Amino acid sequence: MAQESPKNSAAEIPVTSNGEVDDAHEHAYNRDLKHSLPSGLGLSETQITSHGFDSTKEGVTEAGASQGGQRTHTKGGPVILADEIKNPAMEKLELVRKWSLNTYKCTRQIISEKLGRGSRTVDLELEAQIDILRDNKKKYENILKLAQTLSTQLFQMVHTQKQLGDAFADLSLKSLELHEEFGYNADTQKLLAKNGETLLGAINFFIASVNTLVNKTIEDTLMTVKQYENARVEYDAYRTDLEELNLGPRDANTLPKIEQSQHLFQIHKEKYDKMRSDVSVKLKFLEENKVKVLRNQLVLFHSAVAAYFAGNQKQLELTLKQFHVRLKTPGVDAPSWLEEQ
């Protein structure tokens, strides 16, 4: 006996004469589906809309509470999640882009200046002071080189005098008939060696002070000058860009570029003014410090050399005490305890 298959209202989807789904039966299907869903999930949370196969509309899905307390709503497109965390790679890429653009502008400005096509900002008074400083640095380096040569030669002479004095003293003990003559020469060479060590200490102190002035104090000022020159190039590069934009047309496309260029120009102008002020202050303090240091060192050098060649041992020692110069010289053996007595 044939049995009838069970029928369900959800399985019957009547179709109208033109091939479209009957909306009345569709609403009945949604009502039956609502009764069949669990009590924890209603149609207010999930809605499913069916259309014909020829419909171009997409389904709409609304989800209630989701993980993390966020609510995601999608309508006719992919799900997009907000990412509030900055990407370090993108930040580095942006920094590289800004650096490349700035380097390009500065390089173009430098080439234009060398070819005589671009204009540059010049502070005549400050530029003159910088040129004098660089010229003086070369001259001080030459003095320093010559003083180091003198110190090396004097050290060799002192070392030779000490050896010669020891040789005379040895012969004075072994040659009875020339005992006094060898003894006089031994004492003379040892005295010359002692005075030479004292003069060598003064010269080395002079070298150390001038070396500090040239390779530290002046070099630090020249580093600031280098930063000032870089700031000047950047300032002129962005000034040139702004001038070129101002000469062009003003419309909706160019006005934002002009405003951005004006902003960048103002930033580099402030940086240039600050560096120019810093260079002026450093040059002023450097000049005062240079005069003070060199005056003392030149007086020391002159007094020590004059006392040495005059044979005035007391004046030579007094000069070193006056300038607080240590008698111990690197590379020279300390006097024996017999000589100190």
Side-chain angles (χ1 to χ4, degrees), residues 8-10 27-37:
N8 193 323
S9 60
H27 292 310
Y29 168 74
N30 291 334
R31 183 175 61 253
D32 294 339
L33 179 61
K34 180 178 179 181
H35 289 297
S36 64
L37 290 174

Side-chain angles (χ1 to χ4, degrees), residues 99-167:
W99 175 84
S100 302
L101 182 61
N102 185 73
T103 303
Y104 164 74
K105 291 180 180 292
C106 294
T107 304
R108 185 183 63 178
Q109 176 65 25
I110 293 173
I111 294 176
S112 299
E113 292 177 2
K114 290 184 176 181
L115 295 177
R117 299 176 181 176
S119 61
R120 65 186 298 265
T121 304
V122 179
D123 189 330
L124 295 178
E125 182 179 359
L126 189 60
E127 292 289 340
Q129 294 178 3
I130 293 173
D131 291 339
I132 293 174
L133 175 62
R134 285 173 172 161
D135 185 61
N136 287 339
K137 183 175 184 290
K138 293 180 181 179
K139 294 178 179 179
Y140 295 154
E141 287 175 342
N142 185 44
I143 290 176
L144 186 61
K145 182 180 179 181
L146 294 174
Q148 290 172 342
T149 302
L150 177 62
S151 175
T152 302
Q153 294 174 350
L154 182 59
F155 171 77
Q156 295 295 335
M157 186 181 72
V158 169
H159 183 65
T160 302
Q161 287 174 340
K162 290 178 66 177
Q163 290 181 335
L164 187 58
D166 294 338

